[in-house]
Amino acid sequence: MERDKHFREAGGDFRWDGVDVHAYKDDGSAPFKDITRQTLFNSDTMAAELRYFEVAPGGYSTLERHEHVHAVMILRGKGRCLVGDEVREIGHLDLVSIPPMHWHQFRAAPDEPLGFLCMVDRQRDRPQLPDARDFAELRSNPDIAAFLGEE
Ligand code: MN
């Protein structure tokens, strides 16, 4: 991302001047599908950064948990979200808070993208992925089993 730029025009379609569109996780370390990441604000003078993620129709973010928190605002489209043991429909301008060590995942609707802002600590712990036992426990909740689907 270019530094020291005070103004960035929106380019339409949820793109911004000088903001690169990246694969969601560059290191390929975790399962996810059809999602991009743009870092909108990231400065060593702030403790937080603000990103825009976009999940294509039918796509999803990594199912994970970690000590750092997320503060999310949905900007585009709709979908569903898991936080802890709660599955909720989410849409335009809804807010989602993800507390420490809560399993979470965002899934776009089959026919609409899901775009959201996510504020997060710049310095943060590495996400944990569910092991077989975690998955079994998650799937014991019928709402979560339906949310996770087949994979
Ligand atoms: Mn996360």
Side-chain angles (χ1 to χ4, degrees):
M1 169 172 199
E2 289 173 62
R3 297 226 161 238
D4 304 324
K5 216 170 169 202
H6 298 129
F7 299 93
R8 296 179 191 279
E9 262 185 80
D13 201 34
F14 296 82
R15 300 286 186 267
W16 291 268
D17 179 31
V19 177
D20 296 328
V21 180
H22 294 278
Y24 167 54
K25 289 182 177 174
D26 291 328
D27 58 3
S29 59
F32 59 87
K33 187 168 180 271
D34 296 336
I35 172 165
T36 59
R37 166 177 56 89
Q38 298 177 73
T39 301
L40 305 181
F41 297 97
N42 181 0
S43 156
D44 49 20
T45 60
M46 289 190 299
E49 61 181 60
L50 187 67
R51 302 88 52 84
Y52 175 75
F53 293 95
E54 194 166 295
V55 189
Y60 48 84
S61 65
T62 302
L63 175 60
E64 63 181 27
R65 67 180 178 184
H66 36 65
E67 291 291 346
H68 61 272
V69 304
H70 294 307
V72 168
M73 176 187 273
I74 310 303
L75 275 196
R76 176 181 207 176
K78 62 182 185 185
R80 287 179 304 152
C81 177
L82 167 70
V83 180
D85 59 4
E86 252 185 298
V87 175
R88 293 285 290 265
E89 303 276 337
I90 45 175
H92 191 215
L93 300 183
D94 286 343
L95 304 177
V96 183
S97 297
I98 299 170
M101 295 310 280
H102 280 52
W103 293 114
H104 57 282
Q105 187 177 52
F106 290 86
R107 288 178 171 261
D111 53 349
E112 282 205 57
L114 178 68
F116 55 90
L117 295 172
C118 177
M119 187 165 62
V120 69
D121 289 344
R122 290 184 76 225
Q123 303 287 339
R124 52 190 184 268
D125 61 310
R126 197 173 174 78
Q128 301 173 9
L129 303 179
D131 62 18
R133 222 172 81 180
D134 297 320
F135 259 117
E137 197 177 320
L138 285 161
R139 284 186 184 283
S140 70
N141 177 325
D143 291 345
I144 298 177
F147 173 82
L148 293 175
E150 294 307 310
E151 46 9 283

